[in-house]
Amino acid sequence: MTNFSVLPLQNIVNRLDEGLIRYQQNINDLQIRDGLIQRFEFTYEISHKILKRYLEYISPNPEIYDQMNFQDLIRSANEYGLLMGNWTDWKQYRDMRSRTSHTYDEETAIMVVSGIPKFLLEVKHLVKVLQERL
């Protein structure tokens, strides 16, 4: 890998931020809420991929990240000072994402939306740290 860009993550984080602001203006708008949840889903997916790619990018042995489980990936990212949160936080985000994949009901939607502000702070931090280091 010769080039690394944070731009895809930055763009998607901005979209999630816009969605959250719009949802907070009218929390009764279920269409906006559903769109916010979808934005969370793809922001989570992209953040996970960018995190892994960055660790591979800076590693003298990038292959170790190919077989690393998610928990160890988050621990490695913390060792490099990339994240605000720890494994418990990222496990929560992963669980939020998993629940939206398998079950979608009112309770799940409320749970996911309530966790988005904390997740948004986390991914904004990740973008900032990556931009500073590149």
Side-chain angles (χ1 to χ4, degrees), residues 36-50:
L36 175 62
I37 291 169
Q38 286 184 323
R39 286 182 181 195
F40 160 74
E41 291 171 346
F42 58 75
T43 304
Y44 172 82
E45 296 296 332
I46 296 292
S47 67
H48 177 249
K49 290 176 183 174
I50 292 283

Side-chain angles (χ1 to χ4, degrees), residues 67-105:
Q67 297 171 18
M68 191 174 279
N69 66 34
F70 185 70
Q71 185 174 0
D72 290 336
L73 183 74
I74 297 303
R75 286 187 178 138
S76 288
N78 274 322
E79 288 172 10
Y80 283 102
L82 300 173
L83 305 174
M84 289 182 350
N86 58 22
W87 164 241
T88 304
D89 296 321
W90 279 86
K91 184 178 184 307
Q92 176 191 358
Y93 308 141
R94 187 177 192 168
D95 290 345
M96 288 165 48
R97 173 62 181 106
S98 178
R99 289 185 77 182
T100 63
S101 298
H102 302 296
T103 305
Y104 193 81
D105 57 29

